[in-house]
Amino acid sequence: MSMLETRAERMVINLGPHHPSMHGVLRLIVTLDGENVVDCVPVLGYLHRSMEKIAESRTIIQYLPYVTRWDYLATMFTEAITVNAPEQLAGVQVPRRARYLRVIMLELSRIASHLLWLGPFMADIGATSPFFYIFREREMIYDLFEAATGMRMMHNYFRVGGVAVDLPYGWVDKARDFCHYLPPKIDEYERLITNNPIFRGRVEGLGYIGREDAINWGLSGPMLRASAVNWDLRKVDHYEIYDELDWNVAWDTGGDTLARYVVRIQEMRESVKMIRQALDQLPGGPYENLEAQRLSGGPKSEWNGFDYQFIGKKSSPTFKMPRGEHYVRVEAPKGELGVYLIGDDSTFPWRWKIRPPGFINLAVLPKLVQGTKLADLMAILGSVDIIMGEVDR
Amino acid sequence: MEGIDLGNAFAQSLSGLGVPADVARALWLPLPMIVILLTVTVGVIAAVWGERKWSGMMQQRWGPTIIGLGGSIQGAADGVKLLIKEDIIPIKADPWLFTLGPAIVIIPVFFSYLVIPFGQGLVLSDITIGIFFIIAVASISPIGALMAGYASNNKYALLGGLRAAAQSISYEIPLALSVLAIVMMSSSLSTVDIVEQQETLGLFSFFSWNIWRQPIGFVIFLISALAETERAPFDLPEAESELVAGHHTEYTGMKFALFYLSEYANLILASLIASVLFLGGWSFIVPLEPLAALFGIEAANPVFQVVNALVGISVTILKATFFVFLAILARWTLPRVRIDQLLDLGWKFLLPVSLFNLLLTAALVLLSNTLKTTLPLYLPLVIFVGLVFVAMSLQKRPAAKPTAARA
């Protein structure tokens, strides 16, 4: 006959890839001691699609429709980095109007991404309603995207040297309307969430990571800025026309889950500010579709010159990337999205290494969750803001 | 004043038709059960519809629209679907416990409805230990949840079952203590007596409702009842984002439907108890009997009795609906608390406060008995309002833009 004994037996549970609160197909193998998380091992790769290898047998234009599948909630950024890397390698000039259009699209995309972070994050904590509210606002952004690019999510809008098409008539007014509409809604979220005692109790001091640790783990984006590091590539790298706009880096000294929430909410406000200014300052001029420029310029077009050698007989316009290698990065909503590109004097990139922010930020998760409760695991994971599309690529 | 004894009336009418008295009694027996089953099921369908519609309104969507008028019988359609669904028992589950679990969860809930009064005499069995019976019977349910969680042979289900047990045990005590304070004031455990004790001020009976005498107990009761019914923000046993579906993760078909039914039946039950204990049960804001007396209508007037009974039922249901609405509002507004926060709230806050409330009530009851006036019983209201006032003035005004203040 067996005897009753008290023994702290640890339970290993498998969260994901089909768990309701796992973001995408992340799988966590969690060791539990009662309700306490002892350890957690992320298992990745369920959404691996060889994004880097695919790039090596495509021209940039052919590859562009793929890239929105990295981070499918901040699609404009994946396109931006895909065109920025060859542009900077080849020294392609981008006209000012195109830069402004890019910035407007990027910031809209950042708001969309942060909105769709807020909803699931709150759902992870157990509040379902914000999910519906954020979709209301996000739909408007996607309507704007659809009007400008023809697609809601997979825009395929950026081109080497500019953007695919100019804005349709009336788009700027619609975007301005949205800029009037969104800030009151963000206030509404804050009234609903920020000072809610249950919310505060759940997130304050949770998943703390200090300044040194955050830097050492290579965190970026809101994860880094919430740990008292004022580091935003838009200010650091001076790319596109961010220097011409008046805005502040959203950062916080908390280092906890609440700080990450605060940073992202604040970033949405800053993005609205930027879009407003960019819309006001939007210059005229070409929006720079290279192929159209080349075709209209005929055989004597300067775009047929040495620097931009198109191979015109192919179905999609391509250009030869010069020999050389470099690393290009943009500030995506999740953090530093980078591409390490090696050109080989060919239309295909020789190597296309992606530095996805979600992947690097996810690495710190097991450290953050140790000793917390099972419910905290979800809150922390939500605050990291990962998209499995870019984590697994 | 005599209420209507439904059982006797039924037996008498049958014996008037020549049926022997014993047979008439026997015929009466199954009727209350059927009435309970039907009312509870209809009530659950209504509550589910209300929840879907109200949550839809809160989330800027429609909710169900197609089946029935405004989707009103969507719940019934779902029930039928669950009835004819294949019943799966996982191969590694314990089939006996797995089947027994949902039954043990739901049966006590139905039992509890026996002692809920819907009006003067409109109660299926006015047993003298009414409210004690509810508390006693309600503590059986968590065993069913634990059983279901354990028998499912699923880790999420086990965790959910354990949480359900821990939560129910923690919140039963403050719940029982807050009810005990009421019992002390009414000096009766019977639900009917408790309601009648709240009609003692004649036309101004509104002010004898227990919510004015037991505001602290009322708040404790609301929080504990929400936790007892495992509704958000205390829905930890079935916390979707952590435990998939908690103790009913592995259940399908009718067994799942029983869990679902018991959740809403529990919610309605808790709302009914809350309205009986604190909002004067079936009594209207202005009680009808003194009102009728003003107009010279006798209480024995059959038309008045019917009207009174109808008003009683409607008022009880309305009050319960109010509490159901509160629960739904809380569910779709608040985030979920964590398990340790939940237990802390139960043991470290609600328990001491409810003990204090009990002692205070005991002292005040003694005082009012000595002074032969009910006025001291309203002292908790003064204390409560004072506490709320102090808490509100102490609370820091939230900055207009909290993020800006922190950054």
Side-chain angles (χ1 to χ4, degrees):
Chain A
M1 191 185 149
S2 63
M3 297 249 299
L4 277 177
E5 53 182 314
T6 49
R7 196 154 50 101
E9 195 167 313
R10 286 174 176 182
M11 185 192 265
V12 179
I13 63 169
N14 181 32
L15 294 172
H18 298 302
H19 191 278
S21 73
M22 276 303 132
H23 297 233
V25 287
L26 175 63
R27 177 177 169 210
L28 293 176
I29 298 175
V30 183
T31 313
L32 286 181
D33 179 9
E35 285 273 348
N36 298 317
V37 177
V38 177
D39 198 9
C40 143
V41 181
V43 181
L44 308 178
Y46 289 93
L47 202 55
H48 180 57
R49 292 152 300 174
S50 304
M51 279 298 181
E52 294 174 0
K53 196 68 189 167
I54 288 172
E56 291 171 16
S57 54
R58 298 282 185 284
T59 65
I60 295 303
I61 295 293
Q62 282 176 328
Y63 187 48
L64 264 171
Y66 285 84
V67 299
T68 40
R69 273 84 174 171
W70 302 349
D71 181 350
Y72 38 79
L73 301 182
T75 41
M76 286 295 180
F77 291 90
T78 59
E79 294 185 4
I81 193 65
T82 308
V83 297
N84 281 0
E87 266 171 11
Q88 292 182 19
L89 192 65
V92 176
Q93 297 289 316
V94 183
R96 269 171 58 79
R97 185 175 174 83
R99 284 170 182 268
Y100 268 89
L101 293 184
R102 282 181 178 185
V103 165
I104 292 169
M105 294 301 170
L106 287 178
E107 292 311 318
L108 280 176
S109 191
R110 187 186 310 279
I111 295 173
S113 169
H114 282 341
L115 283 175
L116 202 51
W117 159 81
L118 181 65
F121 172 63
M122 291 311 292
D124 285 347
I125 299 184
T128 353
S129 291
F131 217 135
F132 291 85
Y133 301 146
I134 61 111
F135 269 112
R136 181 184 61 196
E137 275 74 83
R138 186 169 166 271
E139 276 309 301
M140 301 198 171
I141 297 179
Y142 276 26
D143 285 348
L144 287 175
F145 281 163
E146 191 181 2
T149 72
M151 286 287 262
R152 285 158 48 82
M153 282 179 87
M154 311 303 175
H155 320 289
N156 196 8
Y157 185 62
F158 283 53
R159 289 288 183 275
V160 174
V163 293
V165 285
D166 207 342
L167 296 176
Y169 177 76
W171 195 92
V172 171
D173 290 335
K174 287 285 175 198
R176 272 208 191 96
D177 285 351
F178 177 74
C179 291
H180 284 296
Y181 169 82
L182 186 64
K185 296 297 172 188
I186 301 177
D187 294 341
E188 192 182 308
Y189 302 149
E190 290 226 57
R191 278 200 301 277
L192 180 65
I193 301 167
T194 309
N195 281 325
N196 183 315
I198 299 180
F199 174 74
R200 282 290 177 122
R202 282 296 302 277
V203 299
E204 229 161 356
L206 178 68
Y208 174 81
I209 183 158
R211 189 186 152 90
E212 291 294 311
D213 274 337
I215 296 171
N216 290 343
W217 279 89
L219 301 185
S220 53
M223 283 286 282
L224 182 68
R225 285 195 288 279
S227 296
V229 184
N230 189 344
W231 176 266
D232 191 315
L233 295 178
R234 291 170 288 180
K235 286 271 194 217
V236 175
D237 281 3
H238 311 284
Y239 63 94
E240 302 294 2
I241 46 98
Y242 283 110
D243 283 348
E244 297 174 21
L245 306 175
D246 172 32
W247 60 284
N248 300 312
V249 177
W251 65 300
D252 197 283
T253 49
D256 54 358
T257 305
L258 178 65
R260 282 165 224 147
Y261 161 84
V262 167
V263 164
R264 289 196 175 97
I265 292 281
Q266 195 57 30
E267 243 172 45
M268 283 199 261
R269 294 187 195 279
E270 293 297 330
S271 290
V272 174
K273 236 164 90 183
M274 273 185 251
I275 297 169
R276 260 204 194 126
Q277 294 173 37
L279 287 171
D280 289 343
Q281 302 170 16
L282 189 64
Y287 57 88
E288 200 74 4
N289 180 334
L290 271 189
E291 189 193 19
Q293 292 274 323
R294 186 184 66 85
L295 288 175
S296 63
K300 296 257 169 89
S301 161
E302 60 165 332
W303 301 105
N304 276 338
F306 176 75
D307 283 340
Y308 322 107
Q309 297 177 33
F310 292 90
I311 300 168
K313 280 171 188 158
K314 289 207 171 167
S315 56
S316 46
T318 53
F319 87 108
K320 215 178 243 181
M321 269 172 277
R323 193 179 298 272
E325 54 188 88
H326 71 164
Y327 175 71
V328 181
R329 56 190 184 175
V330 295
E331 180 73 33
K334 273 97 183 163
E336 176 182 331
L337 175 65
V339 160
Y340 185 74
L341 170 67
I342 302 182
D344 193 26
D345 214 8
S346 144
T347 51
F348 302 156
W350 194 86
R351 178 80 172 97
W352 184 272
K353 170 80 181 77
I354 306 162
R355 187 240 190 244
F359 180 63
I360 316 278
N361 289 350
L362 183 62
V364 79
L365 180 73
K367 175 186 150 62
L368 293 186
V369 300
Q370 270 163 24
T372 58
K373 299 270 183 271
L374 178 61
D376 292 338
L377 174 66
M378 304 306 161
I380 295 173
L381 179 66
S383 78
V384 173
D385 191 14
I386 51 154
I387 292 297
M388 289 317 283
E390 69 166 7
V391 172
D392 289 341
R393 299 174 317 282
Chain B
M1 208 213 73
E2 287 300 306
I4 316 155
D5 188 346
L6 291 174
N8 271 338
F10 180 81
Q12 275 166 13
S13 62
L14 274 193
S15 50
L17 293 174
V19 182
D22 291 346
V23 178
R25 275 267 156 219
L27 280 178
W28 164 251
L29 276 179
L31 279 181
M33 301 178 204
I34 294 168
V35 167
I36 280 193
L37 282 177
L38 284 181
T39 359
V40 172
T41 315
V42 170
V44 166
I45 289 172
V48 169
W49 182 63
E51 164 129 47
R52 290 193 179 175
K53 275 303 197 189
W54 282 328
S55 66
M57 282 178 207
M58 285 172 217
Q59 299 173 343
Q60 308 208 331
R61 55 189 175 84
W62 284 104
T65 50
I66 293 175
I67 305 172
L69 188 66
S72 50
I73 53 171
Q74 178 76 50
D78 288 351
V80 170
K81 182 209 77 172
L82 286 170
L83 265 175
I84 57 179
K85 217 173 159 181
E86 187 192 354
D87 183 44
I88 301 170
I89 297 179
I91 201 156
K92 287 196 174 170
D94 183 330
W96 278 102
L97 291 184
F98 191 79
T99 315
L100 217 52
I104 290 184
V105 168
I106 188 116
I107 289 172
V109 184
F110 280 115
F111 269 140
S112 307
Y113 275 91
L114 281 175
V115 293
I116 300 289
F118 284 89
Q120 194 83 45
L122 282 175
V123 52
L124 287 166
S125 56
D126 178 17
I127 50 179
T128 46
I129 54 161
I131 200 76
F132 176 70
F133 176 75
I134 292 179
I135 289 176
V137 156
S139 47
I140 299 174
S141 287
I143 299 175
L146 190 57
M147 215 180 242
Y150 173 73
S152 298
N153 197 12
N154 176 314
K155 288 168 181 172
Y156 296 123
L158 179 62
L159 280 173
L162 289 174
R163 279 184 180 186
Q167 184 171 334
S168 296
I169 291 167
S170 314
Y171 278 84
E172 236 149 47
I173 300 165
L175 186 83
L177 287 179
S178 66
V179 171
L180 207 55
I182 299 276
V183 169
M184 218 182 252
M185 286 198 324
S186 321
S187 41
S188 169
L189 284 164
S190 154
T191 43
V192 175
D193 287 353
I194 289 174
V195 174
E196 279 175 353
Q197 177 265 333
Q198 298 178 60
E199 284 187 324
T200 46
L201 288 183
L203 267 181
F204 304 101
S205 289
F206 177 63
F207 295 102
S208 67
W209 288 4
N210 278 333
I211 184 173
W212 306 120
R213 306 182 186 186
Q214 283 290 326
I216 305 173
F218 178 65
V219 172
I220 293 169
F221 183 88
L222 277 192
I223 298 176
S224 316
L226 213 54
E228 274 289 297
T229 50
E230 286 157 14
R231 295 274 305 181
F234 305 111
D235 58 342
L236 288 138
E238 49 208 65
E240 185 195 65
S241 59
E242 299 144 38
L243 299 182
V244 189
H247 52 79
H248 47 76
T249 304
E250 297 283 354
Y251 283 87
T252 57
M254 200 51 213
K255 293 195 189 106
F256 172 76
L258 287 183
F259 278 119
Y260 197 74
L261 196 63
S262 79
E263 183 191 334
Y264 282 92
N266 237 330
L267 176 67
I268 299 170
L269 177 71
S271 309
L272 282 170
I273 299 174
S275 45
V276 164
L277 289 183
F278 293 98
L279 290 192
W282 66 75
S283 54
F284 195 55
I285 298 177
V286 182
L288 288 189
E289 276 158 31
L291 200 65
L294 270 187
F295 290 99
I297 305 169
E298 280 179 52
N301 186 338
V303 178
F304 172 73
Q305 285 222 337
V306 169
V307 170
N308 199 11
L310 283 181
V311 168
I313 295 175
S314 328
V315 163
T316 316
I317 292 174
L318 263 179
K319 286 171 181 171
T321 312
F322 168 70
F323 285 113
V324 172
F325 179 72
L326 271 190
I328 291 171
L329 195 66
R331 173 170 181 179
W332 298 104
T333 310
L334 298 173
R336 186 183 298 120
V337 299
R338 206 166 53 204
I339 183 77
D340 56 326
Q341 293 168 341
L342 175 92
L343 296 182
D344 279 358
L345 179 71
W347 290 103
K348 293 183 184 168
F349 180 73
L350 289 184
L351 183 61
V353 172
S354 56
L355 273 174
F356 163 77
N357 184 47
L358 189 66
L359 286 177
L360 185 71
T361 312
L364 292 177
V365 167
L366 268 182
L367 191 66
S368 70
N369 283 351
T370 330
L371 298 178
K372 306 268 185 242
T373 165
T374 54
L375 271 183
L377 292 176
Y378 292 91
L379 188 64
L381 183 66
V382 180
I383 297 178
F384 182 74
V385 172
L387 279 179
V388 169
F389 198 73
V390 168
M392 279 174 75
S393 56
L394 278 183
Q395 193 192 25
K396 276 177 235 158
R397 296 284 304 157
K401 282 180 185 170
T403 53
R406 274 175 66 97

